[in-house]
């Protein structure tokens, strides 16, 4: 057996505990194994009645994040931008006026920190908006001082590329070179024409970016950054340059804030993702997300466990210092319930799987009340339902929702009083994870005995605690042998029964059984 996570334990400098009043203590294992809640402020809580969510609305709802059991918040972009999603920035040192002011944001930081909630903001540096002053200058002429902030090429030198169609996982875009509408030069924009890529071969651009990082860390006081589109800083054929840039970025940011948290979006397979670890110590695990859904489609329980073991082994070959940012869904994926045939039992079990596996799980706002949503993107980012519509003062109205409405999603206020609600389910399984070190910090060992195909079974071990975890990913009842000495049922979802050396798992049941020596 290999104790994969031993290295990670040594990096845990602070573990904050508090009594939950009911036996085991709830612990805060962020960033290595704690939980981060992703918020799209636009859709979260509107405090001033203009229909758009805002920072003061988030302040009002910090207790919701706390009650759920999350340790940190990742905010999707908060800087000025012409688009509703704000992934095309026009000013890197300000707050979007729809969301509030810099003072509001600093107050949010204070309030969050008082509640022991860390704040991570989206940092979009691969590209800017075409409306950013740098691009407005850059496009003026070839000898403008900002020309080289972006990537320009003469039309006839890139003729072969102009209409080349590129299919990538993370972009609906099909062409990367764009005509500004005059002259003979085209500019490069990986995602679309409204997002021209910055030129990171230009040292002045790199210094601008480091200065922006300094500003948010030193003058504002955020805890870290989520780095958008991290593999596109340089083109696809220059991966080593990408890796080197992020290493430089990390060094520069760590010099300012030694405990800075950096999580990168490298939307790809583990082989492409892992080499970024030296620069981006936390990386989103897209394999986890897709394999979770595939496991249900194929009713193949060990698919995800095997995949996850492979990812962790692969990462360890690169570095021992990493954070595996697992997630059930995010703002770019259909809502998890939609990906799981809108089956409530599958959703509840999927979150059981996320919370019983290694990693530092991310939860997308609204998943905890079973919100629905599908492409186009706006509709996986619909308004949060705090209460029934007539009573919901904070519900945002910037978009007309088509998936998450009172008829399809039970609002939070109602769910709080229902023992079987999604919200209470999320709270319970998160608390289980946060109060059992084997689940939060333990290594992953696969169950090697005979298993019915729909069953996922594995062990999590940490110092004095060993647990056996089993999930039945089908709607048929199954039985399996429980390994010797595992007798203490500490979690039972779906009315499983321990019968001597066997456990009976009804449809979509999950169990966590602790070892007793
Ligand atoms: Ca508002």
């Amino acid at each position: 057996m290999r104790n994969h996570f031993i290295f990670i334990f040594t990096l845990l400098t602070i573990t904050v505990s508090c009594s939950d009043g009911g036996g085991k203590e709830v612990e805060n294992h962020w960033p290595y194994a704690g939980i981060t809640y992703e918020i799209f402020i636009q859709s979260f809580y509107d405090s001033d009645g203009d229909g758009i969510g805002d920072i003061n609305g988030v302040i009002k709802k910090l207790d919701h994040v706390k009650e759920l059991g999350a340790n940190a918040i990742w905010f999707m972009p908060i800087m000025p931008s012409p688009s509703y999603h704000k992934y095309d920035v026009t000013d890197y040192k300000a707050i979007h006026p729809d969301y509030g002011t810099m003072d509001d944001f600093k107050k949010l930081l204070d309030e969050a920190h008082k509640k022991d909630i860390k704040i991570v903001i989206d940092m979009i540096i691969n590209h800017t908006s075409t409306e950013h002053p740098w691009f407005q200058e850059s496009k003026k002429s070839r000898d403008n001082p900002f020309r080289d902030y972006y990537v320009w090429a003469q039309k006839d030198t890139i003729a072969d590329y102009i209409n080349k169609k590129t299919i990538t996982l993370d972009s609906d875009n099909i062409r990367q070179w764009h005509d500004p509408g005059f002259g003979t030069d085209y500019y490069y924009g990986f995602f679309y024409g409204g997002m021209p890529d910055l030129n990171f071969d230009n040292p002045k651009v790199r210094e601008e970016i480091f200065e922006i990082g300094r500003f948010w860390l030193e003058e504002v006081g955020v805890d870290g950054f989520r780095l958008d589109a991290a593999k596109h800083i340089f083109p696809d054929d220059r991966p080593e340059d990408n890796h080197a840039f992020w290493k430089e970025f990390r060094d520069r940011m760590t010099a300012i804030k030694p405990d800075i948290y950096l999580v990168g979006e490298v939307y790809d397979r583990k082989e492409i993702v892992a080499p970024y670890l030296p620069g981006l110590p936390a990386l989103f695990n897209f394999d986890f997300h897709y394999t979770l859904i595939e496991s249900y489609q194929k009713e193949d329980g060990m698919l995800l466990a095997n995949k996850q073991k492979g990812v962790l082994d692969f990462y360890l070959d690169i570095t021992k210092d990493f954070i595996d940012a697992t997630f059930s869904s995010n703002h770019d994926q259909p809502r998890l319930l939609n990906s799981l045939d809108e089956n409530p039992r599958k959703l509840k079990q999927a979150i059981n799987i996320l919370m019983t596996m290694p990693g530092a799980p991310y939860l997308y706002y609204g998943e905890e009340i079973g919100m629905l949503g599908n492409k186009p993107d706006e509709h996986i980012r619909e308004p949060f339902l705090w209460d029934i519509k007539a009573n919901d003062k904070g519900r945002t109205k910037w978009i007309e929702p088509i998936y998450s409405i009172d008829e399809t999603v039970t609002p939070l206020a109602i769910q709080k009083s229902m023992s079987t609600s999604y919200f209470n389910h999320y709270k319970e399984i998160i608390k289980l994870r946060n109060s059992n070190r084997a689940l939060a910090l333990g290594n992953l060992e696969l169950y090697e005995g005979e298993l019915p195909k729909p069953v996922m079974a594995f062990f999590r071990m940490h110092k004095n605690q060993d647990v056996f975890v089993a999930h039945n990913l089908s709607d048929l009842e199954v039985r399996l042998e429980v390994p010797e000495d595992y007798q203490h049922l500490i979690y039972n979802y779906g009315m499983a029964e321990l019968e001597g050396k066997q456990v009976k798992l009804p449809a979509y049941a999950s169990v966590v059984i602790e070892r007793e020596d």
Side-chain angles (χ1 to χ4, degrees), residues 152-202:
W152 291 91
Q154 257 184 286
K155 188 177 174 180
D156 50 6
T157 64
I158 51 165
D160 291 347
Y161 299 98
I162 285 176
N163 291 316
K164 189 180 160 198
K165 295 188 177 187
T166 311
I167 306 296
T168 62
L169 271 175
D170 55 354
S171 173
D172 302 328
N173 183 37
I174 52 167
R175 68 184 50 142
Q176 273 77 50
W177 290 97
H178 308 279
D179 183 356
F182 51 84
T184 58
D185 290 355
Y186 277 45
Y187 64 94
Y188 185 83
F190 179 81
F191 290 97
Y192 90 109
M195 294 176 170
D197 280 42
L198 284 166
N199 174 17
F200 280 84
D201 282 317
N202 181 349

Side-chain angles (χ1 to χ4, degrees), residues 45-54 98:
Y45 190 96
D46 175 20
S47 73
D48 59 6
D50 68 355
I52 303 171
D54 45 57
D98 285 351

